[in-house]
């Protein structure tokens, strides 16, 4: 479902917008010289790249947050004192991680 939506966006919001400068639009002369298979391959690659970026930006952090919540809940159920100790140490670990990265 991503490819038709991507193509609709490109055609409606990039190619047909007359107010955009030529460098902002897609490089149509370069695409004009390509064969149909090359254009399709290029678009498929671009969609795959966009999908990968969305997964990296949305799906992976969401899965990490869900894992963190489940871990905290399990720790709370097993031993609430241990859970509070682990959560008290967590901000320091995050700060060190941001400083060193």
């Amino acid at each position: 479902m991503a490819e038709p939506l991507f193509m609709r966006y490109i055609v409606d919001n990039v190619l047909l917008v007359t107010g955009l400068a030529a460098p902002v639009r897609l490089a149509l002369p370069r695409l004009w010289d390509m064969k149909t298979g090359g254009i399709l391959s290029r678009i498929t690659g671009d969609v795959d790249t966009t999908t990968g970026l969305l997964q990296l930006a949305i799906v992976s952090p969401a899965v990490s947050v869900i894992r963190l919540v489940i871990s905290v809940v399990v720790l709370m159920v097993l031993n609430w004192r241990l859970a509070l100790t682990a959560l008290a140490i967590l901000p320091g670990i995050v700060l060190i991680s941001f400083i060193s990265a």
Side-chain angles (χ1 to χ4, degrees), residues 34-55:
M34 295 175 75
K35 294 183 179 178
T36 305
I39 294 172
L40 185 60
S41 174
R42 171 96 185 253
I43 290 174
T44 304
D46 290 346
V47 168
D48 288 340
T49 303
T50 305
T51 304
L53 288 174
L54 287 175
Q55 181 176 359

Side-chain angles (χ1 to χ4, degrees), residues 22-83:
V24 177
R25 293 185 187 190
L26 293 176
L28 289 179
R30 194 175 341 160
L31 291 176
W32 188 262
D33 294 335
M34 295 175 75
K35 294 183 179 178
T36 305
I39 294 172
L40 185 60
S41 174
R42 171 96 185 253
I43 290 174
T44 304
D46 290 346
V47 168
D48 288 340
T49 303
T50 305
T51 304
L53 288 174
L54 287 175
Q55 181 176 359
L56 185 67
I58 296 172
V59 175
S60 295
V63 169
S64 297
V65 167
I66 291 171
R67 286 182 182 169
L68 178 66
V69 168
I70 291 172
S71 300
V72 168
V73 167
V74 168
L75 266 175
M76 287 287 194
V77 168
L78 292 176
N79 189 345
W80 64 271
R81 291 182 188 119
L82 181 62

